[in-house]
Amino acid sequence: MNIDIGNALLDDATPGLRTDRLETLDEQVADAHERIADGRARDEFGYAALNLPETTDPDGIREACGDFEDSEAVLTVGIGGSALGAATITEAIGDGTAHYVLDNVDPAQTESVLAALDFTETAVHVVSRSGTTAETLSNFLLVREAMADDGVDWTERTIVTTGDSGPLRSLAETHNLPVLEVPAGVPGRFSALSTVGLVPAVITGCDIEALLAGGKSGAESLSPSLFDCPAYAYGAVAYALDQQGAGANVMMPYAEGLEAFAEWFAQLWAESLGKAGMGQTPVRALGATDQHSQLQLYRAGPRDKMVTLLRPARREPLTIPETDIEALEYLGGTDLGEVLDAEFEATEASLAEAGCPNVRIEFDRLDAHSLGRLLYDMEAACILAGELYGVDTFTQPAVEWGKRAARGLLGAKETEEAQAVTNKRTRRIE
């Protein structure tokens, strides 16, 4: 994987970075790398995520999934980091086995997903570290009811990933379900290359060994200098551009299979770095589609954004047929991937010409190894950025406040947060 930061430098972008600023930034990266390396060596909370390519046991995951590998579909029941990593992997490199996700509690969507599934041929993966996540457990209770309606013994089609205690763990032990451990010391949004993200990957035919090998190559590339480390270069430049006014980071992959990746990145970046009045706002986009819906704003709107353009260097060929329509003759015989690459390069040039800072990320092809490397590098970039911001990258206190408020409102127990919601000021206009 490589990163090109040329269009983020001051001569070409506003906001942008001065070349001499990179040298100072590199010194900060060296200090941050030392803290990260120490955290990894101690397997400290959060930093342990960067050890997953070595500590994740693919054989154990395959063994736990053994009874489900012939399933026609897999349903992940989780939320946030318990679902986004898995969805990213299967969407990008799955073999076509359908992967459904229940990661929200919208009744219409839940009913629609349940109605689409034949539970006699579906594996259900339930993910919650605590085993108490209200959204996840609510959906799982509905899934169990739907399985019963299909005449399916839910205990024969369910696999659980959870912590070492809690209601979900107790349920798994009571019913002798296959159960995997959520990795200790790894926040959910950093857990894609673990049991959390790899169960659906196995069931949908992904090469999880290659995914982990890609992650390992990312770990081996970490070094004290941003000039030698693509992950650190990305994290450092994103941080520095934010300091210059680029408070939004548009993640724009040019590969349909990476649309879920942009959603995964949004959680990683927002939940990790949005603290103490700091952090970039991640924006999800998809090339070339969003050239027609968002590029106008990025090029001609407020100068408060950096754009991350992401693509594989090689794609599967698909030739456009020849045509006798004179105005379209230039397309005939062209590979469709060439059209997408032309769109990519036109967008990059358009942004650069307008002085909008952008960064190019490229990898060889969209396969398991490259995806593992991409996921790992973005996690390392995020952790590096967190060190530069000086925030606690691995906590999410604002999210936890909302969880406590919701539980209180639902009657689990009275909470101060729920009372605050009850007492909130309103000014309703009808």
Side-chain angles (χ1 to χ4, degrees), residues 187-381:
R189 58 191 177 276
F190 289 91
S191 65
L193 296 176
S194 78
T195 52
V196 174
L198 297 184
V199 168
V202 166
I203 298 171
T204 59
C206 300
D207 185 345
I208 64 172
E209 288 80 8
L211 276 163
L212 292 170
K216 185 177 179 181
S217 73
E220 292 169 349
S221 78
L222 298 183
S223 71
S225 174
L226 69 86
F227 298 109
D228 299 323
C229 177
Y232 285 170
Y234 184 76
V237 168
Y239 158 78
L241 285 174
D242 185 19
Q243 301 304 295
Q244 297 298 316
N249 185 345
V250 180
M251 177 56 69
M252 194 171 187
Y254 276 70
E256 197 85 16
L258 290 175
E259 188 170 14
F261 165 80
E263 189 171 358
W264 172 85
F265 175 84
Q267 183 196 9
L268 178 76
W269 215 248
E271 196 167 50
S272 300
L273 305 177
K275 290 150 191 170
M278 294 182 286
Q280 284 181 317
T281 299
V283 178
R284 293 171 284 179
L286 180 66
T289 302
D290 287 318
Q291 288 173 224
H292 298 268
S293 63
Q294 298 178 28
L295 182 58
Q296 178 66 37
L297 174 67
Y298 303 155
R299 179 182 161 104
R303 294 306 177 91
D304 59 354
K305 304 168 191 68
M306 67 172 281
V307 179
T308 303
L309 301 167
L310 171 67
R311 72 170 175 182
R314 293 188 286 172
R315 308 176 191 271
E316 292 301 315
L318 183 60
T319 303
I320 301 169
E322 300 286 352
T323 177
D324 57 3
I325 302 173
E326 184 177 352
L328 301 180
E329 285 181 350
Y330 75 98
L331 293 175
T334 302
D335 186 83
L336 195 62
E338 292 180 34
V339 177
L340 188 55
D341 284 337
E343 300 284 359
F344 177 100
E345 290 166 14
T347 298
E348 183 179 58
S350 173
L351 292 168
E353 195 277 336
C356 177
N358 60 91
V359 173
R360 174 193 287 214
I361 300 177
E362 284 185 312
F363 50 91
D364 181 44
R365 62 169 66 244
L366 187 51
D367 58 15
H369 190 279
S370 291
L371 181 62
R373 174 67 186 268
L374 177 63
L375 291 167
Y376 188 94
D377 276 14
M378 289 300 100
E379 290 179 4

Side-chain angles (χ1 to χ4, degrees), residues 63-221:
E63 182 179 354
C65 294
D67 291 337
F68 307 110
E69 289 193 69
D70 61 349
S71 300
E72 292 186 0
V74 57
L75 171 64
T76 293
V77 185
I79 195 167
S82 294
L84 288 173
T88 295
I89 293 168
T90 61
E91 181 176 296
I93 60 169
D95 68 356
T97 301
H99 181 199
Y100 296 82
V101 178
L102 283 179
D103 62 347
N104 205 340
V105 284
D106 183 301
Q109 174 65 10
T110 297
E111 282 193 326
S112 175
V113 170
L114 296 181
L117 290 169
D118 175 1
F119 282 104
T120 65
E121 302 291 342
T122 300
V124 176
H125 182 215
V126 188
V127 190
S128 170
R129 179 188 298 275
S130 66
T132 62
T133 308
E135 299 92 340
T136 299
L137 275 296
S138 296
N139 276 329
F140 181 47
L141 292 174
L142 288 163
V143 169
R144 288 205 311 178
E145 182 178 63
M147 295 172 88
D149 290 344
D150 275 3
V152 175
D153 181 348
W154 70 273
T155 66
E156 295 181 356
R157 304 296 304 168
T158 301
I159 180 170
V160 169
T161 298
T162 190
D164 57 9
S165 63
L168 196 54
R169 166 67 68 167
S170 298
L171 186 72
E173 292 175 349
T174 298
H175 296 281
N176 198 31
L177 306 178
V179 60
L180 290 162
E181 293 276 349
V182 171
V186 178
R189 58 191 177 276
F190 289 91
S191 65
L193 296 176
S194 78
T195 52
V196 174
L198 297 184
V199 168
V202 166
I203 298 171
T204 59
C206 300
D207 185 345
I208 64 172
E209 288 80 8
L211 276 163
L212 292 170
K216 185 177 179 181
S217 73
E220 292 169 349
S221 78

